Amino acid sequence: LLLMIYGVFLYFQLVTHRHMYEEDGDDDDDEEPVLGFWGGVFWLGVLTVFISVLSEIMVDAIEGTVTHWGVSELFIGAIIIPIVGNAAEHASALMFAYRNKLDITLGVAVGSAVQISVMALPFCVVLGWAIGCPLDLTFSLFEVISYTLTVLIVAAALQDGKTHWLMGIILVAAYIVIGAGFWVQKSGLGHLYP
């Protein structure tokens, strides 16, 4: 169902309501592309392989970190890995925010969360079933409450389409509070692995 919703979302964004996601064209600071199409494809492939190797190294280091630091796998999986794994997205969002391009900034930040929630997680579940490694989307009560509060906070912050520094501080404080909750939450991921 979630994969179908993501497909409908892509159809909405790319076909039926494309005009809502296009820039107005009145920007005076249009920049020339640095790379051509094939140069972009080449570097995308090289960096994908590089990031895959680094991700494998980081995942292998999680078990040692959990035992050595005494930090829960839940905190590392829900707070640390998303920060480290999405560092490039965070940097580009900050760059666009500095240039006062709020639409692109929100598209990067919120679009990434939507892709993970509605496409990547369900796809991993289906792929796990296909390769004989059953996965599910079973979350603890704490995780469900955290996810729901996050959606409500972001919806309230984006409701009027305007922002200011106080809203940024409130969002960072909410992230710290949720991170602290994951820090003290000690339910591990051992129930997922036989």
Side-chain angles (χ1 to χ4, degrees), residues 3-85:
L3 289 173
M4 184 185 74
I5 290 171
Y6 187 72
V8 171
F9 170 71
L10 286 178
Y11 182 75
F12 175 86
Q13 187 176 17
L14 299 174
V15 178
T16 63
H17 289 76
R18 173 182 255 169
H19 64 279
M20 292 175 60
Y21 299 96
E22 292 177 348
E23 291 187 27
D24 293 334
D26 58 353
D27 289 336
D28 295 334
D29 59 347
D30 287 338
E31 300 172 6
E32 291 294 321
V34 177
L35 293 174
F37 176 76
W38 292 111
V41 168
F42 170 76
W43 283 109
L44 179 65
V46 168
L47 292 174
T48 299
V49 169
F50 181 68
I51 295 297
S52 297
V53 170
L54 289 179
S55 297
E56 191 65 33
I57 292 169
M58 187 170 72
V59 167
D60 289 341
I62 288 175
E63 188 174 307
T65 303
V66 167
T67 56
H68 183 29
W69 285 4
V71 179
S72 71
E73 292 171 333
L74 188 60
F75 178 78
I76 291 176
I79 303 297
I80 301 297
I81 290 178
I83 289 173
V84 173

Side-chain angles (χ1 to χ4, degrees), residues 23-162:
E23 291 187 27
D24 293 334
D26 58 353
D27 289 336
D28 295 334
D29 59 347
D30 287 338
E31 300 172 6
E32 291 294 321
V34 177
L35 293 174
F37 176 76
W38 292 111
V41 168
F42 170 76
W43 283 109
L44 179 65
V46 168
L47 292 174
T48 299
V49 169
F50 181 68
I51 295 297
S52 297
V53 170
L54 289 179
S55 297
E56 191 65 33
I57 292 169
M58 187 170 72
V59 167
D60 289 341
I62 288 175
E63 188 174 307
T65 303
V66 167
T67 56
H68 183 29
W69 285 4
V71 179
S72 71
E73 292 171 333
L74 188 60
F75 178 78
I76 291 176
I79 303 297
I80 301 297
I81 290 178
I83 289 173
V84 173
N86 295 329
E89 284 183 357
H90 301 320
S92 66
L94 286 172
M95 180 184 68
F96 288 124
Y98 180 75
R99 293 181 182 173
N100 203 23
K101 296 185 178 189
L102 190 59
D103 290 343
I104 298 174
T105 303
L106 292 176
V108 168
V110 177
S112 173
V114 169
Q115 283 180 343
I116 295 297
S117 302
V118 183
M119 194 271 297
L121 287 176
F123 180 74
C124 286
V125 169
V126 171
L127 183 64
W129 288 342
I131 63 173
C133 178
L135 299 173
D136 58 22
L137 290 175
T138 303
F139 298 107
S140 69
L141 180 61
F142 174 75
E143 294 165 338
V144 171
I145 290 171
S146 297
Y147 187 75
T148 304
L149 285 176
T150 302
V151 170
L152 293 174
I153 290 168
V154 170
L158 301 178
Q159 185 174 15
D160 62 353
K162 299 176 187 173

Side-chain angles (χ1 to χ4, degrees), residues 148-188:
T148 304
L149 285 176
T150 302
V151 170
L152 293 174
I153 290 168
V154 170
L158 301 178
Q159 185 174 15
D160 62 353
K162 299 176 187 173
T163 188
H164 43 75
W165 62 268
L166 180 61
M167 186 60 67
I169 290 175
I170 291 170
L171 289 173
V172 169
Y175 190 77
I176 290 170
V177 168
I178 290 171
F182 277 99
W183 176 268
V184 298
Q185 188 73 16
K186 292 297 179 186
S187 66

